[in-house]
Amino acid sequence: MAAPFIVTTLVTFVAWAFAAMLSHSLSDAATLSTSVWLATGITFGALLVVKAPRRPAVLLGAAVATMLLGLLDGLSVLQALGFGVNEVLSAGLGAWLAQRLRAAGPGGRAEPGKAYVGLLLGALLTAALGASVALMLWNWVLPEQVELATEWRVWFCTTVVGILLITPLILSFAGFRIKRSGGMGTGQFLAGAGTFLMFFVVATLIFSSDVSDRFGASLGPTLTYLPLPFIVVTAILWKERGATLATLVAALALIAWTNAGGGPFSEIEGFKGEAVIEVQGYVAVMALLVGVVNALGATAAQALADAQDWRTRYRQVLDSNRTVVVNFDALTGQARWGEGASELMRTDAANLMTVHDFIAHADPAEQPALLADWRDLTQGQRDHALWKNTLRWRDGKAVSTDTRLSGVRGADGRVEQVAALLEVEAPHGS
């Protein structure tokens, strides 16, 4: 138990420290503050993917990394400890809220939509709580030297954006295993690569330092959101893992270009640091769009898997009871046979295109009564019928069936189709 705990602590520490250094490299020169804080996203995401016994190790690794960063910035041990506790408290509570919503589905299984809402709410709680505690800490560390409103806004915005970029990436790659098959096809990968390249081509033009000279002062700002459709299409093609990785790379590039003075946000600033706020909002919108696309895609995939599971179980139940399902159109008599019909009935069910084809293989003496039952069912004179027949095929094979038919009425009360269950008994003949 000690070894996994230590490994988790070290991995969290290293990942947190790397994310912190990357965030510092994206500091805005004008405001001397980070434009995005990725490190808390590491803590938040790790808490969601590790098992409960290892969560204290994640919190310990993040706390130690936070304290070390504070010491390197000149804080005392007690002051650094305060920031470490803030990291643990805010990220821990936010991840707890996100985890509660992730486990709110049937049987504790995460529903993609609820899971993403939980991530958003958890990110907001983490950022708001962390910013509020940080205000008290900074007011203690640097009294009368910190603009409280500005500090709260910077902490909150950078933390939210960092969680939206990092946590989905961690969640998507949790449990990832390299497989020789089963991934996206070459065509799908190349199509996604093409749209991602188009995103960078368009974004490079719009977020360049001479955007006003290229498009004009009035037109340039209107093109700001033109790259977003390309990243959304990339997310659709590359699915969750590729989408989250592409979004992180794209967001870091946009922030770096803006901090360097490029793009429409840097053209006109009403106050110092306005471009940073605007690019944070832009990146947040991009991350939200990709997150919604991923949630919708995961919901569809989950629904398809559930449907396939139920279909398999349904087929197993029918096969075990030697039962065949068929629907007849009440007007034309056209048949739609369920899976496994040909195997159980020992003939090609596709040749039994209508109810009349089915009746034609019954005993000739029984056929008038069967046709009369069919007429009564389709005209609504009766709701159910039971046929016991021995069906003989042209190849000499025969099967005995108990067929239960029920009329299905539409909104106008008329019978639209006839649903039938055929219980196939032991076959006769060869």
Side-chain angles (χ1 to χ4, degrees):
M1 185 65 183
F5 187 93
I6 295 174
V7 170
T8 302
T9 302
L10 291 176
V11 170
T12 304
F13 176 88
V14 172
W16 197 99
F18 177 79
M21 290 188 293
L22 181 59
S23 299
H24 277 303
S25 70
L26 296 171
S27 298
D28 177 54
T31 61
L32 299 178
S33 62
T34 57
S35 300
V36 61
W37 186 247
L38 305 173
T40 301
I42 296 291
T43 310
F44 190 98
L47 288 172
L48 293 181
V49 299
V50 302
K51 296 180 180 180
R54 296 194 184 186
R55 289 171 189 162
V58 171
L59 295 175
L60 177 61
V64 172
T66 306
M67 291 176 59
L68 180 59
L69 178 64
L71 294 174
L72 293 176
D73 285 340
L75 300 181
S76 67
V77 174
L78 188 60
Q79 293 167 345
L81 178 62
F83 281 97
V85 171
N86 184 25
E87 175 75 8
V88 169
L89 178 66
S90 59
L93 288 177
W96 172 82
L97 176 60
Q99 189 65 46
R100 290 292 299 271
L101 290 178
R102 284 175 61 83
R109 183 181 63 176
E111 294 183 5
K114 288 184 179 180
Y116 194 65
V117 170
L119 189 151
L120 294 178
L121 294 178
L124 294 174
L125 175 60
T126 297
L129 180 60
S132 300
V133 175
L135 279 189
M136 295 184 289
L137 292 173
W138 282 123
N139 195 41
W140 168 41
V141 174
L142 300 172
E144 301 180 358
Q145 297 184 34
V146 177
E147 297 182 11
L148 298 183
T150 301
E151 178 62 31
W152 195 95
R153 186 262 303 165
V154 170
W155 192 290
F156 178 84
C157 293
T158 55
T159 302
V160 168
V161 174
I163 292 175
L164 292 181
L165 291 176
I166 291 294
T167 300
L169 181 67
I170 295 175
L171 293 174
S172 65
F173 277 91
F176 173 71
R177 296 291 184 274
I178 298 177
K179 297 183 293 184
R180 293 184 178 181
S181 62
M184 72 176 72
T186 302
Q188 182 181 355
F189 173 78
L190 293 178
T195 56
F196 191 44
L197 178 62
M198 286 299 301
F199 167 85
F200 267 97
V201 170
V202 176
T204 301
L205 293 175
I206 294 176
F207 282 83
S208 61
S209 58
D210 56 349
V211 61
S212 294
D213 296 336
R214 180 178 291 113
F215 298 106
S218 60
L219 180 59
T222 65
L223 302 176
T224 304
Y225 285 87
L226 190 59
L228 289 187
F230 296 103
I231 199 69
V232 171
V233 175
T234 302
I236 295 173
L237 292 170
W238 276 358
K239 307 303 181 183
E240 189 175 6
R241 289 182 180 132
T244 53
L245 184 58
T247 303
L248 176 61
V249 173
L252 297 181
L254 294 174
I255 291 172
W257 291 335
T258 302
N259 288 346
F265 300 136
S266 301
E267 291 290 318
I268 302 176
E269 283 192 299
F271 57 89
K272 192 175 183 180
E274 182 181 4
V276 175
I277 300 176
E278 290 176 337
V279 76
Q280 286 172 341
Y282 186 92
V283 168
V285 169
M286 182 174 68
L288 286 171
L289 285 174
V290 173
V292 170
V293 168
N294 288 336
L296 291 175
T299 300
Q302 190 177 88
L304 182 61
D306 290 342
Q308 185 62 42
D309 182 55
W310 278 107
R311 179 180 179 181
T312 301
R313 295 183 184 182
Y314 181 65
R315 173 71 185 275
Q316 290 172 340
V317 170
L318 292 179
D319 288 348
S320 64
N321 289 281
R322 299 187 61 80
T323 302
V324 177
V325 176
V326 59
N327 287 327
F328 296 110
D329 185 273
L331 182 61
T332 65
Q334 184 176 2
R336 289 184 297 172
W337 294 92
E339 295 181 7
S342 297
E343 291 82 356
L344 286 178
M345 296 178 65
R346 305 182 71 193
T347 190
D348 187 359
N351 293 327
L352 305 175
M353 293 185 292
T354 67
V355 68
H356 302 289
D357 295 332
F358 178 81
I359 293 175
H361 290 85
D363 190 311
E366 299 175 346
Q367 293 180 15
L370 300 180
L371 290 172
D373 287 344
W374 173 257
R375 184 176 58 253
D376 292 344
L377 283 170
T378 55
Q379 292 179 358
Q381 297 179 11
R382 58 190 298 188
D383 293 327
H384 307 285
L386 176 61
W387 295 348
K388 289 181 175 290
N389 311 106
T390 297
L391 305 176
R392 301 186 182 278
W393 314 122
R394 293 176 181 177
D395 59 3
K397 296 178 181 179
V399 292
S400 296
T401 63
D402 288 347
T403 306
R404 294 172 175 82
L405 301 97
S406 299
V408 180
R409 298 178 183 270
D412 58 359
R414 296 181 179 181
V415 178
E416 294 183 345
Q417 62 179 338
V418 176
L421 286 176
L422 282 75
E423 185 178 345
V424 182
E425 299 178 0
H428 304 286
S430 57

